[in-house]
Amino acid sequence: MNIGEAARRSGVSAKTIRYYESIGLIPAAGRTNAGYRAYTANEVETLRFVQRARSLGFSVDDVAGLLGLWRDRSRASADVKAIALNHVAAIERKIAELDSIRRTLIDLTNRCCGDDHPDCPILETLAQTDR
């Protein structure tokens, strides 16, 4: 099947498929006599795997590792779990960071009168320089 059909079946855009090939995340597709990319059902399944992993927020490097483990039938599930748990830890760090940002913004907006006066603790805080 051509790249458009592979994109439709996998949920990965043709541009992204070409990008994944260019960085070596997935092998380059075979070519027809006319030079067009031709994808097999197995390659589409790999693209679906990549799409699902990316939709869970795994980095391209993590996806490469997961793909390698997926293809390796002698893999240890502990290796897969370790990648997933590292990703969970990164998500938890990001959640904590976002929660801190949210709390700061709530505090600043609570201290701002929001009236016709020019004084604004939000702008004052943004203008502060660290010394």
Side-chain angles (χ1 to χ4, degrees):
M1 76 190 77
N2 66 26
I3 194 168
E5 183 64 13
R8 188 186 68 72
R9 290 185 185 189
S10 68
V12 178
S13 73
K15 181 178 180 179
T16 302
I17 293 171
R18 287 189 291 273
Y19 170 70
Y20 288 159
E21 288 180 0
S22 74
I23 63 170
L25 182 61
I26 61 171
R31 298 283 181 154
T32 65
N33 289 339
Y36 294 103
R37 288 176 170 87
Y39 295 87
T40 65
N42 286 339
E43 290 167 323
V44 170
E45 186 57 32
T46 297
L47 288 167
R48 283 190 196 119
F49 180 98
V50 170
Q51 190 277 333
R52 287 189 294 264
R54 294 291 288 150
S55 73
L56 289 173
F58 283 101
S59 69
V60 170
D61 287 341
D62 283 345
V63 172
L66 290 168
L67 272 171
L69 290 166
W70 183 51
R71 291 177 181 135
D72 179 4
R73 298 305 299 163
S74 65
R75 68 183 169 258
S77 65
D79 295 336
V80 180
K81 185 175 182 176
I83 292 171
L85 287 175
N86 285 337
H87 185 52
V88 168
I91 291 169
E92 288 173 346
R93 286 189 300 273
K94 186 66 174 177
I95 288 169
E97 178 185 332
L98 289 171
D99 188 53
S100 174
I101 292 168
R102 182 184 61 80
R103 285 191 316 260
T104 299
L105 286 171
I106 288 171
D107 177 61
L108 289 171
T109 57
N110 286 339
R111 291 191 294 134
C112 180
C113 294
D115 56 18
D116 293 338
H117 295 92
D119 296 331
C120 178
I122 299 168
L123 294 176
E124 291 166 8
T125 299
L126 293 174
Q128 287 177 349
T129 58
D130 292 334
R131 292 185 189 176

